[in-house]
Amino acid sequence: GDAAKGDAIFTTSCDSCHAYRGIGHALGPDLATFRTKPAGDFLIAILDPNAAIEPKYIAYNVDTKDDRALTGLVVDETATGFTLAQANGVKDKLLRSDVKALRPSPLSLMPEGIEAALPPQAMADLLAWLRSP
């Protein structure tokens, strides 16, 4: 892969949920902690995002009393409410009294099928950039 091309791929495919090297939004796991891992570990996480979901990244589906359906990570939880963090840095502050249902999702926030939008060379470029010093 060509690491010089990988940052543009990250910006178009990953930065709505991942922050890395000053680019993007810190919703998903910190990719800097994975930089030294083998490329295969990245591939597994990208190709099968539901294989292993860390407890702090469990997504929640929220139905509100005003008929909104939201999905995100529950953060800043209090006795009366919580913030639902979503892609692109969107955060909804919700009162528990305004929530009709709150359910953990069995799926990762990272969508399946990203590889369909990334030809093998683009995937290789992305992995090279993610793993470069």
Side-chain angles (χ1 to χ4, degrees), residues 2-132:
D2 183 347
K5 295 178 182 176
D7 65 338
I9 296 163
F10 180 84
T11 301
T12 59
S13 301
C14 311
D15 79 340
S16 63
C17 293
H18 291 283
Y20 189 59
R21 298 183 177 183
I23 302 169
H25 303 277
L27 180 64
D30 178 3
L31 299 179
T33 62
F34 293 97
R35 189 179 63 76
T36 58
K37 294 194 181 256
D41 289 1
F42 275 104
L43 276 176
I44 290 170
I46 293 168
L47 299 176
D48 190 4
N50 298 310
I53 303 170
E54 290 182 46
K56 67 181 179 180
Y57 295 110
I58 291 176
Y60 283 85
N61 298 316
V62 180
D63 297 326
T64 64
K65 290 181 180 175
D66 63 356
D67 293 324
R68 292 183 296 153
L70 307 168
T71 300
L73 301 181
V74 172
V75 298
D76 301 328
E77 196 168 5
T78 68
T80 59
F82 57 90
T83 299
L84 192 71
Q86 301 163 71
N88 292 312
V90 173
K91 293 186 177 183
D92 279 308
K93 292 184 184 236
L94 301 167
L95 294 174
R96 291 188 188 281
S97 60
D98 294 334
V99 173
K100 191 180 339 180
L102 174 68
R103 302 171 309 281
S105 173
L107 302 175
S108 169
L109 281 177
M110 186 165 163
E112 292 181 319
I114 291 176
E115 70 278 5
L118 291 178
Q121 185 59 55
M123 181 72 77
D125 295 343
L126 173 63
L127 293 177
W129 183 72
L130 290 170
R131 297 182 69 235
S132 65

